[in-house]
Amino acid sequence: VLLAQPLVEHKRVNPMWVGLGGFVCVGLLGASCAFALAIGWLGENWIGVWSYLLPLVLWQGSACYVAAHSHIPFKTNKARRYSWLCMGVAGLQIFALITPYAIRWDITPFMHFMGFSIISLIGFIFISVHIRNISQQTI
């Protein structure tokens, strides 16, 4: 959405606040789901979701943060390295999803999802640092 704004309006919007706002919204959704589970609104069939909430919030919240900054490499003509970094993170995510099945590693679905979420979070941190370096170079 930031890219769709005219340049004059875009300068007034700090992508950091947009990204943090997205992270907060995801966190509030996760907290709302946790609250609904805690007071029994969703029923007993949904109790299994409980342990997945934190990893999901970390994964999707960090994705929101990165997405809010993703226009910067394209705006500064530094998209090639950024694109390769994003493809590398996506490759690591695929690796995290497939590996336990490929090597017949006996782990719980929660541990599998937690591993995927941690790898995603670390990847998104690397992407964020890369974008921050790009934005500091252009100042």
Side-chain angles (χ1 to χ4, degrees):
V1 173
L2 288 175
L3 286 174
Q5 302 299 320
L7 189 58
V8 174
E9 289 181 34
H10 175 69
K11 286 187 176 187
R12 288 187 275 164
V13 179
N14 186 336
M16 181 185 74
W17 294 114
V18 174
L20 290 175
F23 205 119
V24 167
C25 287
V26 171
L28 289 173
L29 285 170
S32 298
C33 185
F35 178 74
L37 285 168
I39 63 173
W41 280 355
L42 296 178
E44 298 220 4
N45 293 339
W46 287 88
I47 295 297
V49 172
W50 187 265
S51 60
Y52 293 92
L53 289 177
L54 180 61
L56 183 62
V57 166
L58 292 175
W59 167 35
Q60 289 301 296
S62 60
C64 287
Y65 187 82
V66 169
H69 292 81
S70 64
H71 66 285
I72 293 172
F74 297 94
K75 186 174 110 179
T76 58
N77 292 323
K78 307 253 182 179
R80 181 176 292 245
R81 187 169 178 202
Y82 169 75
S83 296
W84 280 109
L85 183 59
C86 289
M87 287 187 280
V89 170
L92 288 173
Q93 289 173 319
I94 291 169
F95 180 77
L97 289 174
I98 293 173
T99 300
Y101 298 111
I103 63 173
R104 299 181 194 270
W105 193 13
D106 188 27
I107 60 172
T108 66
F110 169 74
M111 290 304 297
H112 190 188
F113 188 66
M114 181 61 89
F116 173 80
S117 296
I118 290 170
I119 286 172
S120 297
L121 178 63
I122 291 169
F124 290 145
I125 289 170
F126 276 110
I127 291 171
S128 295
V129 167
H130 176 69
I131 291 173
R132 185 167 189 263
N133 289 339
I134 288 172
S135 63
Q136 286 180 347
Q137 290 171 0
T138 59
I139 294 177

